[in-house]
Amino acid sequence: MKIIFLGAPGAGKGTQAEIVSERLGIPTISTGAIIREAIKSGTEMGLEASRYTTAGKLVPDEVVIGIIRERLAKPDCEGGYILDGFPRTVPQAEALDGMGISLDAVVSIEVADETIARRMSGRRVCDKCGASYHLEFIPPKDGKNCDKCGTELTIRRDDAPEVVLERLRVYHETTEPLKDFYSDKGILKLVYGCEKIEDTTKLTLEALGV
């Protein structure tokens, strides 16, 4: 199967993409990861992307699409794949169509903004050992320090309330229109995200019929 996962930041689409990837035995292609891989490998498109990232600029659509095209041409994609983080805009989706790619399903993980803000604002990380916590779901024993090494936990910059709200605004403005784009093609599957990962997984697998 060829599948796209959509969802606001913090909706859990990456987690579900990985679970479906294992279930179906197909690779998950994360845009950020393959851009970093292309830069590291020194491919033509990777070198082009590097020019933008080193200058602190967004990699333009045509370069991202070129890197995606390179990645999808690899042998492990012959039996299908999952795209996570691409397309982000309708023009990117149209470019994907232009590559002659026929998708089986587009899964949108639906979670209310208030729930996402609560989830993300509760996340804490240990800068020393990398352990992750959540004040509500996986709290540290004393409420503020890492259980493993005792270091005081911090909030990642991406999880700061003002950053979360801005990321959600950008998602609604630029990425959410993809739902109408793929609904018109008859391949959009809406999955309502639950508090428990396994409940969301059950709904996701049912929506995909796997």
Side-chain angles (χ1 to χ4, degrees):
M1 294 182 77
K2 295 174 183 173
I3 306 164
I4 288 172
F5 271 83
L6 298 176
K13 66 181 182 300
T15 299
Q16 295 305 321
E18 286 300 330
I19 291 168
V20 174
S21 167
E22 285 186 27
R23 175 78 171 243
L24 299 180
I26 56 177
T28 295
I29 297 168
S30 161
T31 310
I34 65 165
I35 288 175
R36 289 190 293 273
E37 183 186 317
I39 290 171
K40 187 178 177 182
S41 302
T43 67
E44 183 181 344
M45 283 295 171
L47 293 171
E48 185 72 15
S50 181
R51 287 177 45 219
Y52 293 92
T53 57
T54 52
K57 297 179 181 177
L58 285 175
V59 181
D61 277 3
E62 60 268 21
V63 179
V64 175
I65 290 159
I67 289 172
I68 293 282
R69 185 183 285 112
E70 283 179 352
R71 180 65 184 86
L72 297 186
K74 292 188 176 181
D76 65 335
C77 289
E78 288 177 3
Y81 45 79
I82 294 168
L83 289 174
D84 175 15
F86 183 90
R88 288 185 186 273
T89 63
V90 170
Q92 287 183 351
E94 290 170 342
L96 202 57
D97 278 357
M99 289 162 61
I101 289 170
S102 177
L103 296 162
D104 294 291
V106 175
V107 178
S108 179
I109 307 293
E110 303 286 302
V111 179
D113 285 3
E114 304 77 45
T115 303
I116 286 174
R118 178 168 58 87
R119 282 182 188 175
M120 296 176 83
S121 65
R123 294 199 296 200
R124 298 290 185 275
V125 292
C126 176
D127 292 334
K128 186 175 181 181
C129 73
S132 296
Y133 299 88
H134 193 284
L135 297 183
E136 186 177 348
F137 306 118
I138 319 168
K141 289 174 184 173
D142 68 359
K144 64 175 184 176
N145 297 308
C146 179
D147 294 345
K148 296 178 181 177
C149 67
T151 304
E152 186 171 356
L153 301 173
T154 60
I155 300 174
R156 292 189 314 183
R157 183 185 167 277
D158 278 0
D159 291 340
E162 64 277 10
V163 177
V164 171
L165 291 175
E166 176 59 16
R167 291 173 71 197
L168 288 170
R169 184 194 68 76
V170 170
Y171 170 78
H172 291 308
E173 191 175 290
T174 64
T175 303
E176 199 161 37
L178 287 170
K179 285 158 61 175
D180 287 338
F181 181 86
Y182 287 117
S183 179
D184 290 344
K185 294 178 178 292
I187 56 172
L188 181 70
K189 315 283 185 185
L190 298 180
V191 171
Y192 291 90
C194 307
E195 287 293 345
K196 292 183 178 178
I197 290 173
E198 56 267 32
D199 292 341
T200 305
T201 299
K202 182 174 181 290
L203 294 174
T204 300
L205 296 176
E206 285 174 0
L208 290 170
V210 297

